[in-house]
Amino acid sequence: MKLTNELFNDVIAYRMSEPGAMGPSGSLAILKKNGESFEFDYLSDKTPWEEIKKCFPSIVGCRFNGPMENEMRISQEIVIGGFGEPTRINAGWKHFYLDFGNHLVCKEEYYEKLENIFKGFRNSAIAYGWTEILKEAGFVQNLNN
């Protein structure tokens, strides 16, 4: 898939996995308002991080390193990295820390809906199958009706 600015139009949520994260390590998965989803390996030469940032300005300035400073830690939570500066995201977006170095970020206006949909799911299930969970819940269909 070729990286273009148009590819990142109408992104409503993305999953970012830190290098070394459990599961989808070194990847960025995108969900657009029309329901289209795709994933990049930002560590590869074909879709390098610097090129992704040029096309997806909403991620420029973000840092992914464990939970955000204001997020409560759960006793069983596993943090990959977690040293130094904590995770930070840009204004207009909200963050779910999914343990093991995986993050889900969504537009603020969708946060409560996603929080309700994800209740009862383990963080690992969300990290691996968040787009399928949202499709099964009718989330994207309801946005476009």
Side-chain angles (χ1 to χ4, degrees), residues 67-81:
M68 292 181 66
E69 202 167 46
N70 60 348
E71 287 179 314
M72 276 184 43
R73 286 214 162 137
I74 301 167
S75 62
Q76 295 88 12
E77 187 173 89
I78 306 290
V79 175
I80 304 292

Side-chain angles (χ1 to χ4, degrees), residues 5 9 13 16 18 24-26 34 45 49 53 59 71 73-74 76 85 87 89 95-97 100 104 110 118 127 136:
N5 292 1
N9 286 346
M16 174 66 162
E18 299 174 34
S25 175
N34 66 4
D45 292 339
W49 181 242
K53 289 192 316 186
I59 209 163
E71 287 179 314
R73 286 214 162 137
I74 301 167
Q76 295 88 12
E85 219 178 306
T87 292
I89 58 170
H95 179 260
F96 296 90
Y97 182 60
F100 299 101
L104 184 66
Y110 305 120
F118 292 142
E136 288 176 18

Side-chain angles (χ1 to χ4, degrees), residues 18-139:
E18 299 174 34
M22 298 295 279
S25 175
S27 69
L28 172 67
I30 301 289
L31 177 66
K32 296 174 68 162
K33 191 171 184 176
N34 66 4
E36 182 183 359
S37 62
F38 44 88
E39 189 166 344
F40 299 104
D41 175 356
Y42 64 82
L43 299 175
S44 81
D45 292 339
K46 292 180 182 173
T47 53
W49 181 242
E50 290 305 314
E51 291 300 312
I52 290 172
K53 289 192 316 186
K54 287 178 187 175
C55 299
F56 186 32
S58 295
I59 209 163
V60 175
C62 293
R63 178 176 177 76
F64 297 95
N65 188 24
M68 292 181 66
E69 202 167 46
N70 60 348
E71 287 179 314
M72 276 184 43
R73 286 214 162 137
I74 301 167
S75 62
Q76 295 88 12
E77 187 173 89
I78 306 290
V79 175
I80 304 292
F83 299 105
E85 219 178 306
T87 292
R88 73 170 177 261
I89 58 170
N90 291 321
W93 297 84
K94 297 284 270 181
H95 179 260
F96 296 90
Y97 182 60
L98 302 176
D99 296 343
F100 299 101
N102 294 293
H103 307 262
L104 184 66
V105 181
C106 69
K107 294 246 179 166
E108 277 182 332
E109 61 261 34
Y110 305 120
Y111 182 79
E112 285 184 41
K113 286 181 182 177
L114 295 187
E115 190 175 45
N116 287 328
I117 291 170
F118 292 142
K119 281 184 181 167
F121 285 94
R122 291 186 359 253
N123 284 344
S124 59
I126 299 168
Y128 286 104
W130 66 284
T131 56
E132 285 303 313
I133 293 168
L134 294 178
K135 284 178 188 171
E136 288 176 18
F139 174 73

